[in-house]
Amino acid sequence: MTSAASTSEQGERNPRVSIIIPVYNGAATIERALKSVFDQTFTDYEVVVVDDGSTDDTPAVLAKYGDKLRVVRQANRGLPAARNAAIAASRGELLALIDHDDEWLPQKLEFAVAAMRADPGAALLYSDMIVVNEAGEEFRRSQIGSDTAHAPTMDEMLARIWPITPSTVVMRRDAFDRAGGFCEQLISAEDIHFWLLMREQGHFIYLPEKLVRFTYGQLFPKVLNRDIGPTAIVDLIRQRYGTRADGLVKDFIRHRVRMIANAGVIEMSRGNMEGARRCFVRVLKYDPRHVKSYMRIARTYLPAPIRRALGGKASRGG
């Protein structure tokens, strides 16, 4: 581990911060994310992008930036593996995460680096955020409420999903190394698992400022494509924390049921009955007693006039 003021084996001074950007088919959004990075008031950083097997114009978009980026290309391996690969190719003391469809406000790094400097025992820092839709319009509240607007203890993180969003995070490289990186077998919910490992390495810092514009995109089909069911993450958490994590496990299952069911309702309202059925069937893998999903599956087989006659948000698809 080298400090930000040290030099590499080639005699180059290492940057204070390595900005880590995983991208897969992000040609439409990556330039917006990069602009927010280059607009930062804090400038002692490098930018490392991992193109995780994109099949769109992402490589051409990245090529326009020349040596302003360090680009790593690999076959598609998923978000956790892409983040790990970017971090392995980076040199900074601090690691700042941003996803390709999010944006930072200009003082994001300035505030984060100052807070980490002032508290050298902190392993990780995160902030509040503005939630926007794909058109860039603010459309829902931040998931951070008054009850979670503080840095969590480990007990709090084992009691429920703690609202930490990757693009708000800055962490110390040595803590990341001790935690062992993101679990590459978890193609979804890898962040929930990783934050627990990071909390073992030291306390967190919470900044109440809204320093990130987080894009809440279309749920379907991503909510299914990045879902491997409850077993993998639940088993990992149970193996490490046992019954201490009962609350987190229950909250995780509730959260997944709610999100996937919501995606199904939206697809039904759009007339995508096959997609809606897929969502409701997936819900039942998390909660076989979810009565509404059985009823909704039955509705997807009804003619459109009957669905409309039944009324309700989930019956409007035509």
Side-chain angles (χ1 to χ4, degrees), residues 19-315:
I19 298 171
I20 305 302
I21 310 179
V23 58
Y24 173 70
N25 288 349
T29 60
I30 185 68
E31 289 187 278
R32 186 177 64 205
L34 287 170
K35 182 180 186 304
S36 78
V37 166
F38 295 131
D39 284 347
Q40 291 297 297
T41 56
F42 180 89
T43 59
D44 186 9
Y45 62 75
E46 64 175 352
V47 183
V48 184
V49 181
V50 166
D51 180 359
D52 193 40
S54 294
T55 57
D56 66 355
D57 291 334
T58 294
V61 172
L62 297 176
K64 295 191 298 185
Y65 291 88
D67 60 7
K68 294 178 74 173
L69 309 176
R70 180 177 301 173
V71 178
V72 177
R73 292 190 172 86
Q74 63 183 28
N76 183 254
R77 295 170 51 204
L79 189 55
R83 286 199 185 108
N84 286 344
I87 291 169
S90 70
R91 301 170 295 145
E93 172 193 1
L94 298 175
L95 306 170
L97 307 181
I98 178 171
D99 289 342
H100 69 79
D101 55 351
D102 294 337
E103 297 174 80
W104 286 345
L105 273 66
Q107 289 183 292
K108 148 79 176 179
L109 286 184
E110 179 184 343
F111 288 176
V113 172
M116 292 293 271
R117 280 174 173 164
D119 189 352
L124 179 148
L125 171 147
Y126 68 103
S127 73
D128 203 348
M129 62 186 180
I130 302 165
V131 183
V132 301
N133 60 22
E134 291 175 321
E137 304 161 336
E138 186 171 356
F139 83 116
R140 61 183 294 173
R141 294 180 179 177
S142 164
Q143 60 184 336
I144 297 177
S146 58
D147 58 334
T148 55
H150 61 273
T153 65
M154 177 59 86
D155 284 342
E156 286 177 312
M157 294 183 71
L158 290 172
R160 56 168 293 176
I161 296 175
W162 205 258
I164 302 174
T165 299
S167 291
T168 72
V169 165
V170 174
M171 56 189 165
R172 297 195 193 279
R173 176 185 296 277
D174 58 354
F176 173 87
D177 290 341
R178 293 195 305 271
F182 290 93
C183 178
E184 297 183 7
Q185 286 68 49
L186 295 177
I187 60 171
S188 66
E190 76 288 340
D191 51 346
I192 295 173
H193 174 254
F194 180 67
W195 306 147
L196 293 172
L197 301 181
M198 284 296 293
R199 187 60 182 81
E200 293 180 14
Q201 314 311 317
H203 63 271
F204 289 179
I205 297 171
Y206 168 67
L207 297 181
E209 293 85 0
K210 295 179 183 290
L211 299 175
V212 174
R213 290 172 60 84
F214 167 75
T215 301
Y216 191 93
Q218 296 287 337
L219 286 174
F220 184 87
K222 184 171 70 173
V223 72
L224 299 184
N225 293 342
R226 292 196 63 225
D227 182 73
I228 56 175
T231 304
I233 185 170
V234 168
D235 286 351
L236 283 174
I237 291 173
R238 287 291 194 205
Q239 288 167 12
R240 195 170 188 91
Y241 304 105
T243 57
R244 287 182 66 199
D246 282 351
L248 174 59
V249 169
K250 291 177 182 177
D251 193 39
F252 170 73
I253 292 173
R254 281 195 300 265
H255 174 77
R256 297 301 294 181
V257 165
R258 185 167 57 248
M259 183 167 61
I260 299 171
N262 185 44
V265 168
I266 291 170
E267 292 311 300
M268 186 183 289
S269 73
R270 291 172 173 167
N272 180 9
M273 297 301 125
E274 180 182 357
R277 278 194 295 274
R278 289 174 56 200
C279 290
F280 301 140
V281 168
R282 189 68 58 87
V283 166
L284 295 174
K285 290 187 176 181
Y286 283 89
D287 182 3
R289 297 175 297 178
H290 197 260
V291 176
K292 283 186 177 180
S293 288
Y294 291 105
M295 297 172 62
R296 287 165 174 167
I297 290 170
R299 283 190 180 190
T300 65
Y301 289 101
L302 297 175
I306 297 178
R307 287 199 308 272
R308 286 194 291 267
L310 288 172
K313 182 178 180 181
S315 304

